């Protein structure tokens, strides 16, 4: 039985271990343990019997705009609905904070579409998001990530 819970500072090491392969591939952006600690309240975990099998974050950019980022499910647990469960949990959290729209930048277009997100031009996103995070990515500036958004 999968449980969705808030992350704690003591989870950071296990979270970094989970994401190491996707960071190497450039699918997920590397975040230092200090950066993760600063933003620890953004993260939720998917846990199976106390083992972290996935995590993701909801980051707020403006009073009406949030972003789902750093979404990962461990390789052996994919295709079981855990990613969808985490996105729905993060969307509920956004709703409880009264955010109006949640976007994501991703290579997983069909996955997000299956949860009600719609593709938008990347240029329509706030510039500070694009420049602050994209310049840290190893695919920058030639990148085929797409932007998707959901109104909640
Ligand atoms: C993307 C990811 C989080 C999906 O998690 P998951 O637990 O495997 O996905 P789910 O089992 O919840 O799938 C939910 C739905 O999306 C579909 N789906 C999942 N991955 C998909 C993919 N790569 N392409 C198309 N559809 C996909 C499933 O078929 C399912 O559809 P359904 O609800 O109609 O049955 C996971 O594959 C992953 O960690 N990938 C590597 C990291 C990554 O790319 N993260 C996204 C960066 S924002």
């Amino acid at each position: 039985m999968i449980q969705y819970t808030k992350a704690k500072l003591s989870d950071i090491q296990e979270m970094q271990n989970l994401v190491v392969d996707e960071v190497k591939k450039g699918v997920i952006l590397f975040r230092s343990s200090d950066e993760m600690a600063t933003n620890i309240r953004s993260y939720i975990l998917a846990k199976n019997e106390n083992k972290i099998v996935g995590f993701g974050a909801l980051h707020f950019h403006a009073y009406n705009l949030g972003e789902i980022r750093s979404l990962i499910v461990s390789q052996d647990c994919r295709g079981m609905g855990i990613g969808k469960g985490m996105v729905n949990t993060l969307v509920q959290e956004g709703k409880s904070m009264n955010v109006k729209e949640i976007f994501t930048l991703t290579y997983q277009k069909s996955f997000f579409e299956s949860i009600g997100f719609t593709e938008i031009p990347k240029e329509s996103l706030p510039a500070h998001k694009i420049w602050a995070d994209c310049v840290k990515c190893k695919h920058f500036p030639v990148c085929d990530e797409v932007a998707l958004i959901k109104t909640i």
Side-chain angles (χ1 to χ4, degrees), residues 60-142:
F60 294 113
H61 285 280
Y63 73 94
N64 56 357
L65 183 67
E67 177 191 6
I68 289 181
R69 61 190 197 186
S70 304
L71 190 75
I72 174 94
V73 173
S74 77
Q75 230 148 29
D76 53 336
C77 293
R78 290 184 191 163
M80 295 163 55
I82 298 172
K84 190 176 188 171
M86 285 197 292
V87 172
N88 286 334
T89 304
L90 293 168
V91 167
Q92 283 311 316
E93 194 179 319
K95 261 189 194 163
S96 75
M97 296 295 285
N98 288 343
V99 78
K100 299 293 176 239
E101 289 185 307
I102 297 180
F103 75 92
T104 190
L105 278 166
T106 185
Y107 299 103
Q108 300 285 354
K109 182 178 167 205
S110 320
F111 166 73
F112 279 97
E113 282 177 340
S114 80
I115 316 174
F117 283 72
T118 308
E119 188 174 358
I120 51 161
K122 257 200 291 192
E123 301 68 44
S124 62
L125 290 174
H128 63 265
K129 158 65 198 166
I130 297 283
W131 299 116
D133 261 0
C134 289
V135 292
K136 298 184 204 159
C137 175
K138 64 182 183 188
H139 299 304
F140 180 80
V142 182

Side-chain angles (χ1 to χ4, degrees), residues 3-17:
Q3 288 182 315
Y4 301 100
T5 63
K6 295 297 286 180
K8 298 201 170 82
L9 292 166
S10 51
D11 295 313
I12 289 175
Q13 186 61 60
E14 196 179 342
M15 290 162 76
Q16 284 194 317
N17 293 343

Side-chain angles (χ1 to χ4, degrees), residues 1 22 31 35 48 61 64 104 109 114 148:
M1 170 83 169
E22 303 297 338
R31 299 199 189 272
E35 189 181 358
N48 186 12
H61 285 280
N64 56 357
T104 190
K109 182 178 167 205
S114 80
L148 296 102

